Amino acid sequence: MDIRTVLVANRGEIAVRIIRTCRELGLRTAAVHSDADAGALHVRMADEAYRIGTAPARESYLSVAAIVAAAQEAGADAVHPGYGMLAEDAGFAQAVADAGLVFVGPSAEVIARMGDKVAARDVARSCGVPVAPGSPGTISDPAQAHAVAERIGWPVVVKASFGGGGRGMRVVHDPAGLDTALTAAAREAGAAFGRPEVHLERYLERPRHVEVQVLADAHGNVVHLGDRDCSVQRRHQKLVEEAPAPDLPAGVRDRLRDDAARLAREVGYLGAGTVEFLVLPGTGEYFFLEMNTRLQVEHGVTEMVTGLDLVAAQLAVAGGEKLWFTQDDVRLDGHAIQARIAAEDPWESFRPAPGRVATLVTPQGPWVRCDMGIESGDAVAAEYDSMFGKVLARGPDRDTARRRLIAALDELRVEGVPTTAPYLRGVLASAEFAAVVHDTGSLERDWAPDPALRPAAPQARAASTAARPARRVRIATDRGPVEVAIYGVAPAQGTEVALSDRPGRADVSAGRAADGPGAPPTAPMDATVVAVAVEEGAAVAAGDVLVVLEAMKMEIEVRSEITGTVETLHVTAGASVAAGTILAEVTPPSRPSGQAAP
């Protein structure tokens, strides 16, 4: 089919990425947006844009009917789902096909089969691909979960059976925590993917996360485009990715790639997809994790070492073209590493920090690539994922790529919100990362941010720092257009950030009040209450969870600062709260009569 107009059914960085390739190919683009994104960069870049609903994703970017209607109104030939949102929703893919449009990805049947983690494990077994021990299907009740866990052995991981991105996952080390983990994982999976089903797998200690990029056409041709390592993770969310995966024994690497291609052939795959594995470095054993039936956030590192534009390849095979190269033609040249840039504060337990970015200056230079979903003056919306961009660097070898990415992150300037960039710069500079002795637990176990090296807050910087224009805005008035220069403050130079030598996590209570211990816990940001974990009159210990909030697609546990009694609850599940809202009041135990105050 001749594709001329593409509707991009997504937002942010990935929508911008797709639109850029469509421009290069001479294709017309249509964007969709919620009320919160009416002025977003992807909307400004597209040839036209369509409002699909209000700010909450479930009322806009997750509305199948609204997106299909927009595609039809735009006269689109194809719909590209990007990643996240509806990218792995079989119902959406089928609705696009039923409307007579091309879905840029595999068929609804394949998405349903491989998007169901339990069914995908069955496919892997049938292909002879190793699978970690786990439940035979989804978990129907806590008693079944306990029986499965005892059979496969502790620790276990509760996993969402649909969706990905680390959401709906909880690691459980003993029977006492299993019931709570089941409830939390199901709740998070239901909110993120609309499907609350979960299953159990044996939790593998200290593995590396290695994945293989595959590409297939409608004519039976399947190739792999090498592998990637995504082991720098927090709460199963990837933060740093690289291609190819370093220090893999040749035999293991070849088997991973062959298994991934065989799996794609088995299910009749079409387009770009990723087969993910957990690898045990000490033994070389590996186990199938899942297949992502879409483009990955980390696709750029594969593009940098193969020279292929994966979005262009997706559009070509979706339009019916045959792959124009064979497996023997695939050559990997050099090494590439990517850092995800999110509006989060690593020194506050990676607390999401939505807000307006007054200034964004991206690094320049050869072999550096920046994929950003915003420009200076744009906002990182609280309703969506906190990641707004990625910085990538390539080199002839891993160490050169690593040092280039460190230099690029030093050059990156973001004013207005804290970001993960300075922390990830420290990760890349660490001896463990350089020596490739890290695993999926290294970040939370060993790489706590050093409080002494926390970047200075913008307001703490010298007032004498030179002001300069951040952006120019053209405003229509009754006397004609007026161009206005908006000024900001130039960022300070030479901020140095490193990791703490102290092992362990730097957990900071998300709801800690400014008045210190004993003050009522408050919402750290605008959020939705997804659960209230206590009742009025309940006794709680310091550190007990009081309320669970959701913001920027992350769950945040607000804990009690003190031991005492829950005197008052000010919120209920489902309520929206503004930053600073008092959530509950906890009173300390009363002193025995006659005891003097300290």
Side-chain angles (χ1 to χ4, degrees), residues 16-17 19-20 23 29 40-48:
V16 171
R17 166 73 186 88
I19 290 169
R20 285 198 169 113
R23 279 181 171 181
T29 56
L41 179 58
H42 75 282
V43 172
R44 303 197 298 267
M45 288 183 63
D47 294 300
E48 54 190 85

Side-chain angles (χ1 to χ4, degrees), residues 62 85 88-89 160-168 188-196:
L62 297 179
M85 299 301 184
E88 293 181 281
D89 188 302
S161 295
F162 300 88
R167 296 184 179 89
E188 188 175 8
F193 315 119
R195 297 290 298 269

Side-chain angles (χ1 to χ4, degrees), residues 232-509:
V232 179
Q233 302 178 7
R234 180 181 182 273
R235 294 183 180 175
H236 311 290
Q237 289 274 18
K238 303 167 187 172
L239 298 178
V240 173
E241 300 103 336
E242 56 185 309
D247 286 3
L248 273 185
V252 173
R253 191 186 305 277
D254 291 342
R255 291 198 298 274
L256 289 172
R257 293 174 175 181
D258 290 345
D259 283 352
R262 186 165 64 254
L263 202 63
R265 289 191 186 92
E266 172 68 20
V267 298
Y269 199 78
L270 173 67
T274 301
V275 182
E276 303 194 344
F277 302 90
L278 293 179
V279 179
L280 301 179
T283 65
E285 293 178 281
Y286 63 87
F287 301 94
F288 170 76
L289 182 61
E290 63 184 6
M291 183 175 191
N292 288 303
T293 56
R294 54 169 168 82
L295 200 65
Q296 292 280 86
V297 178
E298 58 270 23
H299 72 277
V301 292
T302 294
E303 291 180 327
M304 294 185 87
V305 298
T306 62
L308 290 168
D309 182 329
L310 286 178
V311 175
Q314 284 184 295
L315 292 166
V317 298
E321 294 183 26
K322 293 180 66 173
L323 285 179
W324 57 98
F325 58 91
T326 68
Q327 188 65 68
D328 290 341
D329 297 322
V330 176
R331 294 287 184 272
L332 304 185
D333 183 16
H335 199 96
I337 311 179
Q338 166 182 289
R340 299 191 187 193
I341 311 302
E344 299 175 4
D345 189 344
W347 281 265
E348 292 285 348
S349 293
F350 290 81
R351 176 178 60 83
R356 191 162 301 279
V357 175
T359 303
L360 173 63
V361 179
T362 56
Q364 306 296 317
W367 314 115
V368 173
R369 166 176 162 178
C370 295
D371 289 3
M372 294 289 166
I374 62 171
E375 295 177 322
S376 292
D378 289 343
V380 179
E383 292 84 359
Y384 313 116
D385 195 291
S386 57
M387 191 194 83
F388 62 85
K390 304 172 298 190
V391 178
L392 305 83
R394 180 194 170 279
D397 53 63
R398 183 176 187 264
D399 196 56
T400 303
R402 183 182 67 87
R403 288 185 283 104
R404 279 182 178 156
L405 185 53
I406 290 171
L409 293 177
D410 284 339
E411 191 176 337
L412 176 69
R413 295 178 180 178
V414 182
E415 292 292 331
V417 298
T419 78
T420 52
Y423 173 74
L424 295 181
R425 189 253 189 233
V427 168
L428 292 164
S430 70
E432 295 87 353
F433 184 86
V436 199
V437 294
H438 60 293
D439 56 66
T440 57
S442 291
L443 188 147
E444 295 183 286
R445 187 181 62 245
D446 304 323
W447 291 338
D450 189 337
L453 297 174
R454 183 176 187 171
Q459 60 268 27
R461 289 174 179 163
S464 60
T465 305
R468 57 188 179 84
R471 64 192 295 237
R472 304 186 75 84
V473 178
R474 196 173 179 84
I475 303 173
T477 73
D478 57 357
R479 297 187 180 183
V482 175
E483 192 172 76
V484 179
I486 299 177
Y487 287 80
V489 176
Q493 299 285 337
T495 300
E496 182 68 21
V497 178
L499 299 174
S500 171
D501 292 332
R502 296 185 297 276
R505 298 169 56 182
D507 281 332
V508 179
S509 176

Side-chain angles (χ1 to χ4, degrees), residues 28-106:
R28 179 170 157 267
T29 56
V32 293
H33 67 86
S34 68
D35 290 342
D37 278 342
L41 179 58
H42 75 282
V43 172
R44 303 197 298 267
M45 288 183 63
D47 294 300
E48 54 190 85
Y50 296 84
R51 177 188 179 275
I52 53 171
T54 55
R58 62 182 176 276
E59 297 172 12
S60 49
Y61 295 107
L62 297 179
S63 174
V64 172
I67 293 175
V68 171
Q72 292 174 318
E73 185 177 352
D77 307 301
V79 174
H80 197 306
Y83 54 69
M85 299 301 184
L86 292 171
E88 293 181 281
D89 188 302
F92 177 57
Q94 190 60 56
V96 170
D98 290 345
L101 308 173
V102 173
F103 180 78
V104 182

